[in-house]
Amino acid sequence: MKKMYIILFFVIILLIIFAFCYYNTSIFGNNIIIKNENKIVDYVLNNINEYDAEIEVAVKSNKTTNIYKMKQNVSKNYSSIEVLSKGKINGLKIEMKDRNLKIQNTELKLDKIYENYEPLTNNTLFLNTFIKKFKESNSTTYMKENNIVFEVPNFGKLYVDMQTSKPIKLEIKDNTKKTNICINYISIEIK
């Protein structure tokens, strides 16, 4: 009789543990996961204003795909992108500081400065542009595997890792609504 009570006690404990784990890991209707998703969405939309990133950019054309490694730096009044890949545009660096655009090629030792230019962060290669378009349009978020996907219709998708709250991939569409630029974030440090 004592053995039966001990077995019943362990069965009840296991059921409680199972119910608790199921509640915490279930996606549909789970308030904990919905709260975490909302926190991550809020974090991405309001805190990724300044960052340093190493990225891999795949640009698709009609017949080929070109892949470039680049480095981005974005802060309040400064933004830059530098090509790290070997090839024709190796050493190309574009900087924007206080509405002055500087284009230089470190390989060829060429510099060109343009004054009173639109900020470089209006460039689709930057997270700031995507986040701005997300806020201004009829955008949606949803979960896919372990990522939250931010989607701007007819523009692109940003994939953010649920564990780290950091962007992992940005897909940009062209005028025909096909993805023609895919940016993979090798590393990103949000300031």
Side-chain angles (χ1 to χ4, degrees):
M1 190 72 160
K2 244 184 185 180
K3 288 183 181 180
M4 194 164 164
Y5 283 121
I6 292 173
I7 292 172
L8 183 62
F9 176 74
F10 282 119
V11 168
I12 291 172
I13 295 295
L14 289 174
L15 285 173
I16 290 171
I17 292 171
F18 174 75
F20 181 73
C21 290
Y22 179 77
Y23 176 76
N24 283 332
T25 59
S26 174
I27 293 177
F28 300 106
N30 187 331
N31 291 335
I32 293 173
I33 289 182
I34 291 170
K35 285 180 185 175
N36 286 343
E37 182 181 349
N38 289 340
K39 280 183 181 179
I40 293 170
V41 169
D42 183 58
Y43 173 77
V44 168
L45 295 179
N46 297 313
N47 294 327
I48 301 183
N49 301 319
E50 299 183 5
Y51 64 91
D52 291 324
E54 189 173 322
I55 61 176
E56 185 177 80
V57 181
V59 181
K60 298 176 187 174
S61 64
N62 291 339
K63 297 179 182 178
T64 62
T65 298
N66 294 315
I67 298 174
Y68 306 98
K69 284 198 174 190
M70 298 180 179
K71 186 167 60 171
Q72 289 181 337
N73 178 286
V74 177
S75 58
K76 189 172 183 174
N77 293 320
Y78 176 83
S79 59
S80 71
I81 191 162
E82 181 178 359
V83 178
L84 304 174
S85 297
K86 301 284 184 218
K88 294 179 183 177
I89 60 172
N90 180 34
L92 178 68
K93 186 172 185 178
I94 302 170
E95 294 178 291
M96 181 73 174
K97 184 175 182 181
D98 299 323
R99 298 186 52 83
N100 291 324
L101 177 68
K102 181 179 181 181
I103 301 173
Q104 65 185 115
N105 187 319
T106 55
E107 295 286 312
L108 301 175
K109 306 216 182 330
L110 298 173
D111 288 354
K112 184 72 176 171
I113 297 174
Y114 300 92
E115 294 181 2
N116 296 319
Y117 239 69
E118 281 298 311
L120 186 59
T121 52
N122 286 340
N123 187 318
T124 57
L125 295 178
F126 287 91
L127 284 170
N128 306 46
T129 302
F130 182 86
I131 292 170
K132 182 179 177 185
K133 286 192 182 293
F134 184 91
K135 289 179 179 180
E136 293 173 349
S137 63
N138 189 16
S139 304
T140 59
T141 60
Y142 56 90
M143 290 184 57
K144 184 175 182 181
E145 298 170 3
N146 292 326
N147 301 318
I148 297 176
V149 180
F150 294 72
E151 185 171 4
V152 177
N154 303 324
F155 182 73
K157 295 178 185 177
L158 174 65
Y159 296 79
V160 175
D161 185 280
M162 285 277 296
Q163 300 298 319
T164 63
S165 301
K166 292 184 177 182
I168 56 172
K169 181 168 63 170
L170 176 61
E171 296 174 344
I172 305 296
K173 297 180 181 180
D174 62 11
N175 295 339
T176 64
K177 300 176 188 168
K178 292 181 183 175
T179 301
N180 71 335
I181 298 175
C182 184
I183 300 168
N184 290 310
Y185 292 90
I186 298 167
S187 68
I188 184 166
E189 179 187 331
I190 298 163
K191 301 176 188 177

